[in-house]
Amino acid sequence: MIPKLNRKTTSFMVNSLISSTHLLILVFSLIVSVATAETNTLNRGNGAEPDSLRPHLAQGLNSHNILHDIYEGLFTYNETGQAVPGAVARYEISDDGLTWDFYLKDNASWSDGEPLTAADFIFAWQKAVSPDTVAPYAFLFANMQRDGQLRISSDQASHLRIQLNQIDSALADKLLLPVFAPMPKHQPDEPVYNGAYVLSEHRPHEWIALHKNRHYHSHETVRIPVIRYIVTENQNSELLKFRAGELDITETVPDNQLDWLRKHYPKALRVAPYNGSFFLGLNLADKHLQDKNLRTALYWAIDRDILVDKVLKSGQKPAAGLIPTRNNERNAFDLYKAREYLAKSDFKVDSERLDLLYNNSNNQKKTALAVAAMWRQNLGIKTRLHNQEWKVFIKTRQGPNKQVFRGGWIADYKDPLNYLQLFESDSRFNYYQFNDADYDQLVQQIRATSDKNNRNDLIKQAESILQSELPLIPLYFYVSRHLVKPQIKGYSDNLADKHLSRYLRF
């Protein structure tokens, strides 16, 4: 028999139902709010504190990563790391390859709403080549300079013309670099940006926050409103942050954790080929390292197979030469040669030492320890290790007070010349005090040569000089190593290891 409900009982049940419904709505709203907050921000590990966030002065990849998000040049990276038009709607190249005409997008603008113009590029590039700026990448403008003047011009606000002295098939890739970014001529000293994001807050040695730029020409395609670049100089700490959910993408991973990561985070671990070369630099002005026999002994005494397979274990390839090629992808370890050259040198093993400088990183420490152990075991040479925080290391490496130091180069663009020009006598990146007239002449010939076969022969000759004179000791070719949460879409492994935030989404 169904009980009869009175008005009081009915009223109580209805009120209870309404209260329960309100509670469910409140709980659901809280869940949605939390979920929305989580997907509002992408947290990216970025390694060391950026050396600079000014496009003309930045050198490190941890600076370039951020700059590619807040500035956009004539060219930009697509999802697969290829050069594609950025702030331009179209461009034209003359038949002789010497004149490039760029036409800016109609809706290209700065974050304050002002239109982006060709004058902004001219203003920025003139500043980049100014002696007062001391831009590390200013040398890249040499091919568009004559009699000290940039050969760039504009006949209307949306049109920029570049005239080259000689053909440059790698120009589009070079124009990707932050040094070629525009600057707001109307607000040169204000935080105004033309990229997909704007820099909103910077807490040194902690993080850099970016917010979506509502004036970006393709702002409707930018899915994640806030990007936070976290300073993660310690790789073990970075891994812990990822495991705790504090990071969505890591800058790298500790080599000694790779096996564990393959087992426990197989969907998140991303290891891929990378267009980069790691080596040790040698200061040829040092009284010991002026001795070519000693440099040669040090070169042959390192077992690169052990280094990459047993110490690093990340898939790196052993490097016998500077440029990542199959011919250079070999061990170059010969104990007999190493000891033979050491015997010819003036280095006194019993009383003299070498100093090896590297930046503060677990992986760099492991490499330095392994190299020092090999020199001690194979040659009897004792090595003092010195590690420094990245910004301090950069300055020390540029100065005269060093012997052996951590080197390496990630290709800025797809051309072997990008590696070879590091060792030109007048290069800003010549930390090695290497001065060879024949080498300089070869590099100049490579720049002026468009014939592919002739160019390849010249590149081999230049590399041969480096392998003979040894201002560097190649160790291995890079792979990129990241942890990426599986729910993040738009992240594509590529040789350039470029992953602009504008393409990423949850």
Side-chain angles (χ1 to χ4, degrees):
M1 183 175 179
I2 300 174
K4 187 176 180 179
L5 300 178
N6 58 36
R7 181 176 295 178
K8 184 176 182 180
T9 304
T10 304
S11 176
F12 173 77
M13 292 180 65
V14 170
N15 289 336
S16 297
L17 181 60
I18 292 172
S19 298
S20 298
T21 302
H22 284 168
L23 181 60
L24 286 171
I25 292 172
L26 179 60
V27 171
F28 179 75
S29 298
L30 287 172
I31 291 172
V32 170
S33 297
V34 171
T36 302
E38 288 177 347
T39 56
N40 256 354
T41 303
L42 179 77
N43 292 304
R44 304 185 62 161
N46 199 44
E49 171 74 12
D51 55 75
S52 177
L53 290 176
R54 296 174 60 188
H56 296 144
L57 300 181
Q59 298 184 57
L61 290 173
N62 39 27
S63 297
H64 285 200
N65 291 337
I66 298 169
L67 291 170
H68 283 305
D69 274 353
I70 60 179
Y71 290 98
E72 184 175 79
L74 300 173
F75 286 89
T76 187
Y77 289 100
N78 66 8
E79 287 188 44
T80 59
Q82 302 296 315
V84 294
V88 300
R90 62 186 177 90
Y91 66 98
E92 300 168 355
I93 307 173
S94 63
D95 291 339
D96 62 6
L98 296 179
T99 302
W100 293 54
D101 287 292
F102 296 91
Y103 300 89
L104 302 180
K105 288 182 168 74
D106 291 337
N107 59 344
S109 63
W110 292 98
S111 54
D112 61 0
E114 287 295 311
L116 175 72
T117 69
D120 295 319
F121 285 93
I122 294 173
F123 173 71
W125 295 4
Q126 288 174 337
K127 186 175 182 64
V129 299
S130 168
D132 295 334
T133 303
V134 197
Y137 285 90
F139 66 93
L140 291 175
F141 290 90
N143 192 26
M144 56 182 79
Q145 283 181 294
R146 181 174 292 175
D147 299 325
Q149 299 297 316
L150 281 173
R151 304 179 68 202
I152 54 177
S153 59
S154 173
D155 57 7
Q156 54 183 310
S158 62
H159 174 225
L160 178 69
R161 169 169 288 183
I162 300 174
Q163 291 179 284
L164 304 177
N165 299 318
Q166 55 198 32
I167 291 175
D168 185 357
S169 58
L171 180 62
D173 290 294
K174 291 176 182 176
L175 292 174
L176 290 164
L177 291 170
V179 73
F180 287 102
M183 289 185 66
K185 188 177 180 181
H186 66 287
Q187 292 281 14
D189 300 317
E190 296 299 320
V192 183
Y193 312 96
N194 78 312
Y197 291 88
V198 300
L199 196 157
S200 55
E201 188 173 1
H202 182 185
R203 293 190 181 181
H205 304 285
E206 293 187 41
W207 46 263
I208 295 97
L210 313 181
H211 281 72
K212 181 177 173 178
N213 179 7
R214 62 188 180 89
H215 290 288
Y216 180 58
H217 58 75
S218 301
H219 67 92
E220 70 281 355
T221 67
V222 180
R223 302 288 291 275
I224 301 178
V226 181
I227 308 295
R228 187 177 300 190
Y229 281 94
I230 313 293
V231 175
T232 52
E233 195 160 1
N234 184 291
Q235 292 151 359
N236 288 316
S237 297
E238 183 181 42
L239 175 57
L240 291 175
K241 287 179 181 293
F242 182 86
R243 294 181 63 190
E246 298 173 23
L247 288 176
D248 301 300
I249 301 173
T250 67
E251 190 267 339
T252 187
V253 297
D255 288 330
N256 61 358
Q257 297 292 331
L258 271 170
D259 290 338
W260 186 87
L261 289 169
R262 289 186 179 104
K263 180 179 179 180
H264 293 89
Y265 287 89
K267 293 182 179 179
L269 182 62
R270 312 287 283 264
V271 179
Y274 192 16
N275 191 3
S277 178
F278 185 90
F279 51 84
L280 297 177
L282 303 178
N283 180 10
L284 272 56
D286 177 75
K287 65 178 182 179
H288 296 307
L289 294 172
Q290 287 176 353
D291 188 335
K292 183 178 174 180
N293 287 318
L294 174 61
R295 301 198 302 272
T296 308
L298 297 173
Y299 172 89
W300 288 110
I302 299 172
D303 191 329
R304 293 153 181 82
D305 284 342
I306 289 179
L307 181 63
V308 299
D309 294 336
K310 305 298 183 183
V311 179
L312 300 176
K313 298 186 291 186
S314 297
Q316 295 95 335
K317 302 297 182 182
L322 171 64
I323 302 171
T325 62
R326 289 190 177 183
N327 182 56
N328 284 334
E329 199 176 287
R330 53 191 174 84
N331 191 358
F333 170 62
D334 190 317
L335 191 54
Y336 176 80
K337 282 185 179 180
R339 290 174 177 171
E340 180 184 31
Y341 279 103
L342 181 64
K344 295 177 183 177
S345 77
D346 296 324
F347 192 79
K348 298 177 178 60
V349 173
D350 293 335
S351 59
E352 295 176 329
R353 304 284 187 274
L354 288 177
D355 290 334
L356 198 167
L357 174 70
Y358 63 96
N359 60 291
N360 188 20
S361 155
N362 294 334
N363 289 353
Q364 297 300 335
K365 181 179 180 179
K366 286 199 307 180
T367 300
L369 285 169
V371 168
M374 291 179 193
W375 285 344
R376 177 69 180 266
Q377 180 178 343
N378 297 330
L379 299 175
I381 293 177
K382 299 181 183 67
T383 308
R384 290 182 292 246
L385 302 182
H386 304 275
N387 72 304
Q388 295 178 340
E389 186 267 337
W390 177 253
K391 282 189 174 182
V392 179
F393 166 78
I394 287 292
K395 292 186 178 297
T396 306
R397 185 172 65 175
Q398 292 172 347
N401 299 320
K402 75 225 179 224
Q403 287 184 309
V404 184
F405 54 95
R406 172 254 205 258
W409 189 255
I410 304 299
D412 292 315
Y413 50 90
K414 294 180 291 185
D415 188 339
L417 188 61
N418 190 211
Y419 292 95
L420 297 174
Q421 64 191 11
L422 301 175
F423 299 90
E424 287 184 281
S425 300
D426 60 354
S427 169
R428 182 175 178 80
F429 298 98
N430 184 6
Y431 311 133
Y432 322 90
Q433 299 300 311
F434 180 61
N435 192 331
D436 189 294
D438 292 336
Y439 181 84
D440 292 344
Q441 185 177 4
L442 280 169
V443 174
Q444 286 295 343
Q445 287 179 268
I446 293 167
R447 284 197 180 95
T449 303
S450 56
D451 181 83
K452 186 175 180 180
N453 292 329
N454 186 27
R455 199 170 190 269
N456 287 339
D457 288 340
L458 293 170
I459 289 169
K460 289 177 183 177
Q461 291 178 48
E463 265 213 291
S464 179
I465 291 177
L466 291 179
Q467 291 177 333
S468 172
E469 297 302 320
L470 291 174
L472 76 156
I473 299 176
L475 294 183
Y476 59 82
F477 298 128
Y478 281 106
V479 290
S480 61
R481 308 181 305 277
H482 303 282
L483 287 168
V484 182
K485 284 185 177 178
Q487 62 264 40
I488 294 175
K489 309 303 178 185
Y491 186 99
S492 177
D493 296 324
N494 58 77
L495 275 174
D497 196 31
K498 296 299 181 186
H499 311 278
L500 273 59
S501 299
R502 61 171 289 202
Y503 301 120
L504 304 179
R505 61 192 185 279
F506 288 102

